């Protein structure tokens, strides 16, 4: 029976064999890799992966698709919302120190998935995801560009990222209304030891009114935190490099109870 894509799950299934082959080449699966695929759908990517890996763990929310996938002898199926999956526990279950994670992520919840995985970066070797092209543009954006924002800072803190493949709408069934791409994400071996929640708050405040100088947003926020340190707020949020946001988070964490010195 043909599976009808479910709009509420954001289902767009890969159907272009040439694109699938190109994605598999970028992932470069090796026998024995502990790989997890998010949202395998109709197994277009799953089958060529498992042929090279020998076995594969898949996370699928759609119960009908999960039931189909369970009939495949080389697949271990986790029927769950990926946002509820503990990837550290999954790594322990698979008896590995590091997972390789892949998937054609549902575009309607791709950003929440990326932030969920951020908490498990220490047990992940690499990630390859199909995403909306404009989301990947924001992920890899550099300072002083229109795409640079909260997503850029939070993910570049933890990953080295590269846009590796363009995927047109016609590669899917049904075709989405947007262009897609594949991103490679490799966790940094020694990321800055910042408080993730604090960094997220800093960046969220900074980009809350991105057209204004930071003295109107982040500057006032720092003053309310009795920040004792120097940070140039005579700039817009998009002009501040990732490393400066990281340095600010580290400094703010170590300095409390003194008057602010922002300029």
């Amino acid at each position: 029976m043909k599976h009808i894509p479910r709009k509420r799950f954001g289902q767009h299934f890969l159907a272009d064999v040439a694109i699938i082959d190109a994605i598999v080449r970028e992932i470069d699966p090796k026998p024995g890799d502990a790989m997890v695929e998010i949202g395998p759908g109709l197994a277009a990517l799953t089958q060529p992966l498992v042929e090279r890996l020998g076995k594969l763990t898949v996370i699928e929310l759609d119960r009908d698709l999960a039931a189909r996938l369970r009939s495949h002898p080389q697949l271990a199926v986790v029927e769950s919302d990926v946002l509820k999956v503990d990837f550290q526990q999954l790594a322990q279950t698979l008896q590995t120190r590091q997972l390789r994670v892949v998937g054609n992520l549902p575009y309607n919840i791709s950003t929440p998935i990326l932030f969920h995985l951020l908490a498990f970066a220490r047990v992940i070797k690499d990630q390859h995801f199909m995403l909306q092209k404009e989301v990947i543009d924001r992920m890899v954006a550099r300072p002083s560009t229109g795409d640079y924002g909260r997503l850029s800072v939070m993910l570049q803190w933890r990953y080295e990222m590269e846009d590796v493949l363009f995927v047109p709408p016609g590669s899917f069934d049904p075709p989405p209304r947007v262009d897609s791409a594949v991103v490679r994400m490799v966790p940094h071996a020694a990321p800055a030891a910042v408080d993730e929640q604090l960094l997220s708050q800093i960046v969220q405040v900074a980009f809350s009114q991105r057209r204004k100088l930071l003295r109107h947003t982040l500057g006032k926020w720092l003053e309310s935190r009795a920040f004792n340190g120097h940070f140039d707020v005579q700039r817009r949020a998009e002009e501040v490099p990732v490393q400066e946001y990281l340095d600010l988070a580290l400094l703010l964490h170590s300095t409390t109870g003194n008057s602010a010195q922002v300029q």
Side-chain angles (χ1 to χ4, degrees):
M1 182 181 295
K2 179 177 174 61
H3 180 83
I4 299 174
R6 296 182 177 177
K7 187 175 182 180
R8 68 190 177 98
F9 290 156
Q11 292 178 338
H12 296 276
F13 300 118
L14 267 176
D16 187 320
V17 174
I19 289 292
I20 292 168
D21 287 344
I23 294 171
V24 172
R25 286 196 299 272
E26 291 294 344
I27 296 171
D28 192 22
K30 304 293 185 184
D33 284 349
M35 190 169 289
V36 178
E37 183 184 7
I38 297 171
L42 297 176
L45 184 60
T46 309
Q47 187 57 38
L49 285 175
V50 78
E51 288 173 2
R52 291 160 176 76
L53 294 164
K55 59 182 179 180
L56 175 65
T57 298
V58 297
I59 300 171
E60 179 56 64
L61 176 60
D62 187 314
R63 65 178 181 274
D64 294 336
L65 292 176
R68 290 189 185 194
L69 293 163
R70 286 194 187 92
S71 67
H72 196 303
Q74 294 169 286
L75 299 181
V77 181
V78 178
E79 185 178 336
S80 175
D81 179 346
V82 66
L83 297 177
K84 298 179 180 178
V85 174
D86 183 328
F87 281 81
Q88 182 167 338
Q89 180 61 52
L90 188 55
Q92 293 174 357
T93 299
L94 296 176
Q95 299 182 327
T96 184
R97 294 182 62 184
Q98 288 193 309
L99 300 168
R100 302 191 68 196
V101 185
V102 302
N104 173 18
L105 301 189
Y107 291 176
N108 55 345
I109 58 165
S110 59
T111 298
I113 292 173
L114 291 170
F115 278 108
H116 177 66
L117 285 164
L118 191 63
F120 302 103
R122 63 189 177 280
V123 296
I124 292 175
K125 180 179 180 181
D126 59 19
Q127 299 174 162
H128 290 81
F129 293 134
M130 175 96 68
L131 294 163
Q132 193 169 331
K133 179 68 166 64
E134 68 176 38
V135 173
I136 293 180
D137 288 344
R138 300 203 323 262
M139 292 166 66
V140 304
R142 296 304 173 194
S144 299
T145 64
D147 289 324
Y148 184 71
R150 176 172 175 259
L151 192 64
S152 318
V153 176
M154 294 303 297
L155 295 182
Q156 290 177 33
W157 157 51
R158 202 60 186 84
Y159 304 96
E160 182 69 33
M161 294 181 293
E162 180 184 4
D163 181 344
V164 296
L165 184 68
F166 175 76
V167 183
S171 301
F172 299 88
D173 181 23
R177 296 179 181 178
V178 296
D179 290 331
S180 304
V182 175
V183 65
R184 177 180 294 121
M185 307 173 68
V186 180
H188 293 303
V194 302
D195 181 306
E196 180 183 338
Q197 187 174 357
L198 177 59
L199 177 63
S200 179
Q201 193 172 8
I202 290 170
V203 177
Q204 188 169 2
V205 172
F207 284 95
S208 62
Q209 299 181 64
R210 62 183 299 147
R211 293 182 181 277
K212 291 188 176 182
L213 294 177
L214 285 171
R215 63 185 173 86
H216 298 292
T217 54
L218 188 59
K220 292 181 178 179
W221 184 84
L222 289 171
E223 289 175 358
S224 72
R225 297 289 295 255
F227 172 64
N228 182 24
H230 172 76
F231 186 79
D232 181 6
V233 296
Q234 301 300 329
R235 301 175 286 179
R236 292 180 174 83
E238 68 184 36
E239 297 177 286
V240 181
V242 173
Q243 188 59 52
E244 288 195 38
Y245 282 116
L246 300 179
D247 291 343
L248 177 60
L250 290 168
L251 187 58
L252 185 60
H253 186 72
S254 64
T255 58
T256 57
N258 295 312
S259 59
Q261 295 180 3
V262 291
Q263 299 178 3

